Amino acid sequence: MNATQPLKKPVVQLRGLCKSFDGKQIISDFKLDVNHGEFLTILGPSGCGKTTVLRLIAGLEDADEGTILLDDHDVTRIPAENRHVNTVFQSYALFPHMTVFDNVAFGLRMQNVAENEIEPRVMEALRMVQLDQFAPRKPHQLSGGQQQRVAIARAVVNKPKVLLLDESLSALDYKLRKKMQMELKQLQRKLGITFIFVTHDQEEALSMSDRIIVMRSGDIVQDGSPREIYEEPKNLFVARFIGEINVFDATVIQRLDEKRIMATVEGRQCQVFCDLDVSEGDAIKVLLRPEDLRLEELHNGDAASGIVGYVRERNYKGMTLDSVVELESGKSVMVSEFFNEDDPDVDHSLNQKVAVTWVESWEVVLPDE
Ligand code: ATP
């Protein structure tokens, strides 16, 4: 099997799942297909139901209604241990008194796999996570990242069809977490196993996933590639949840052609790319990421294009210079420009009057909510 590309064949199918706790509906009529070899991330704020979806797939919770199919077999009433699905939890849940080897071997022993078969399989799994040297150690003799890798080795040793990861990297410090993100993605490609990863960290979701579903209050609000989710958010919730974004209030003046309208954005007339069904006078939102905005110096005191404002904060970030600009309306916008010492345009002084501009068509236009 070519493990690098997910197959467009669902391995997990959730059909109309409902789950309540203490009379409170957490998810209802939840539908999702996850493809073979796919790295799918479930992203959403705390309490939106991500873990509940994962636990239903794992068989750690029973669905009130609906069906769970695994490779076209109905597993809705099949106990967790018979589902070919493993879970890696945030806490890793390693057995402290057992060696790394025995931790990884545990599941195989429980399945009564012959002892002479266990040794090569455990060592293969440990090699995969580069921990074969550590087989005789106990968990407390390992770093957090190494413990996390043992948990992954233990979860892949019996070759599950699906690996569920619940906030599995969140206990690691920033640097280690970045490293583990890359390693996990590489491992997933190598193994060709479907990974379903739960996180509330949007940066992590963008960098690791083939596909992201964004959840809010038990519902899927957007389902797409990381790029689609970042560049074409379907609504303000997704736009604001994934990274920084500037939201401008605007009013439609007139439609110019199929794709473009003339609108008043922060008091200035601009052409805006918009394929929404809008008419004159409608309120809309124009969304722009900080890295899509530029600051231009005002030579004759006023801007030919763009929105006038004053630089109120400048933060040097190494690669970029981030500015907070206060517009004449009082609204603040974030601008992130690539820093180049030879480019004076990017070195604005505090309180300087500037024009905030952007490349037409980079904006996202949404209806007012
Ligand atoms: P987080 O990112 O904080 O882990 P989440 O999106 O994973 O959040 P869930 O853990 O799925 O959210 O929880 C969704 C809702 O269901 C929450 O309001 C939670 O309190 C509730 N809940 C989850 N499990 C149970 C349970 N066993 N008993 C009662 N309520 C529960």
Side-chain angles (χ1 to χ4, degrees):
M1 183 173 113
N2 177 2
T4 56
Q5 282 289 324
L7 293 178
K8 282 271 178 218
K9 183 177 179 299
V11 58
V12 177
Q13 295 173 72
L14 308 182
R15 297 193 178 155
L17 285 189
C18 298
K19 182 71 188 171
S20 299
F21 289 114
D22 310 325
K24 186 169 171 258
Q25 190 94 341
I26 304 300
I27 57 164
S28 72
D29 197 22
F30 193 89
K31 299 185 193 78
L32 177 68
D33 280 6
V34 189
N35 294 319
H36 271 279
E38 190 166 46
F39 196 124
L40 177 102
T41 297
I42 305 178
L43 180 68
S46 187
C48 70
K50 305 180 294 292
T51 298
T52 302
V53 172
L54 218 60
R55 290 175 63 83
L56 286 166
I57 299 172
L60 301 171
E61 297 287 352
D62 289 329
D64 300 335
E65 274 176 59
T67 311
I68 302 170
L69 299 179
L70 196 64
D71 258 347
D72 295 326
H73 297 294
D74 186 343
V75 297
T76 320
R77 304 283 157 224
I78 291 189
E81 59 273 21
N82 297 333
R83 283 198 187 185
H84 302 290
V85 170
N86 284 342
T87 311
V88 179
F89 296 100
Q90 180 185 350
S91 57
Y92 319 143
L94 299 178
F95 302 115
H97 57 286
M98 287 187 192
T99 62
V100 165
F101 184 97
D102 289 337
N103 262 283
V104 178
F106 183 80
L108 298 176
R109 288 189 176 130
M110 293 299 283
Q111 288 170 3
N112 294 322
V113 174
E115 205 55 37
N116 61 351
E117 220 185 284
I118 288 177
E119 214 268 344
R121 283 177 65 178
V122 169
M123 291 314 288
E124 186 198 353
L126 285 175
R127 259 192 304 277
M128 211 139 47
V129 294
Q130 294 152 36
L131 282 181
D132 39 326
Q133 311 275 335
F134 294 79
R137 290 213 192 168
K138 296 272 179 67
H140 74 268
Q141 296 169 309
L142 302 177
S143 71
Q146 289 165 341
Q147 289 183 33
Q148 212 270 355
R149 300 216 291 259
V150 177
I152 291 168
R154 188 178 57 178
V156 297
V157 73
N158 62 353
K159 307 223 159 64
K161 288 185 175 143
V162 178
L163 187 63
L164 308 174
L165 300 113
D166 192 0
E167 301 272 2
S168 308
L169 304 181
S170 59
L172 305 177
D173 69 42
Y174 182 78
K175 248 185 147 169
L176 192 54
R177 189 171 177 155
K178 290 273 148 208
K179 185 163 168 266
M180 284 305 300
Q181 286 173 6
M182 301 250 290
E183 284 185 10
L184 207 55
K185 179 74 201 155
Q186 280 166 6
L187 185 70
Q188 187 263 343
R189 282 215 191 97
K190 201 152 71 181
L191 294 173
I193 296 176
T194 302
F195 277 30
I196 306 180
F197 186 79
V198 156
T199 183
H200 55 250
D201 180 333
Q202 24 92 11
E203 205 184 314
E204 190 159 274
L206 290 175
S207 63
M208 295 175 81
S209 325
D210 297 314
R211 192 174 134 213
I212 297 173
I213 62 164
V214 183
M215 283 184 67
R216 180 190 200 180
S217 311
D219 292 321
I220 297 177
V221 284
Q222 191 161 356
D223 177 343
S225 68
R227 216 168 152 173
E228 280 163 352
I229 301 274
Y230 189 77
E231 293 182 5
E232 295 158 41
K234 268 197 181 157
N235 55 33
L236 280 175
F237 171 79
V238 176
R240 287 198 171 112
F241 193 69
I242 314 279
E244 287 275 359
I245 199 151
N246 297 297
V247 180
F248 296 103
D249 291 320
T251 311
V252 179
I253 299 173
Q254 66 176 109
R255 181 158 285 290
L256 299 174
D257 57 35
E258 251 178 48
K259 290 267 175 212
R260 290 174 316 148
I261 57 167
M262 191 59 110
T264 318
V265 184
E266 288 288 319
R268 286 190 84 90
Q269 288 195 9
C270 311
Q271 278 191 20
V272 173
F273 261 62
C274 171
D275 50 13
L276 301 176
D277 183 16
V278 288
S279 38
E280 192 187 327
D282 283 354
I284 51 171
K285 300 280 188 201
V286 173
L287 280 59
L288 281 148
R289 299 276 177 201
E291 64 272 21
D292 291 339
L293 292 174
R294 293 285 167 272
L295 297 183
E296 283 178 17
E297 301 219 5
L298 296 180
H299 295 294
N300 300 322
D302 207 355
S305 65
I307 306 166
V308 175
Y310 298 86
V311 178
R312 295 299 189 212
E313 262 183 61
R314 297 163 69 244
N315 296 315
Y316 173 67
K317 292 272 181 68
M319 287 276 275
T320 59
L321 185 69
D322 294 356
S323 310
V324 177
V325 177
E326 187 185 344
L327 305 182
E328 289 183 322
S329 64
K331 179 186 174 62
S332 288
V333 293
M334 284 279 301
V335 181
S336 184
E337 296 173 287
F338 273 105
F339 190 69
N340 173 1
E341 286 189 29
D342 301 329
D343 182 359
D345 264 0
V346 184
D347 205 5
H348 323 284
S349 47
L350 223 49
N351 298 323
Q352 187 181 349
K353 193 174 182 185
V354 289
V356 179
T357 64
W358 63 91
V359 174
E360 207 184 294
S361 86
W362 284 7
E363 65 273 4
V364 173
V365 176
L366 294 174
D368 201 22
E369 279 182 358

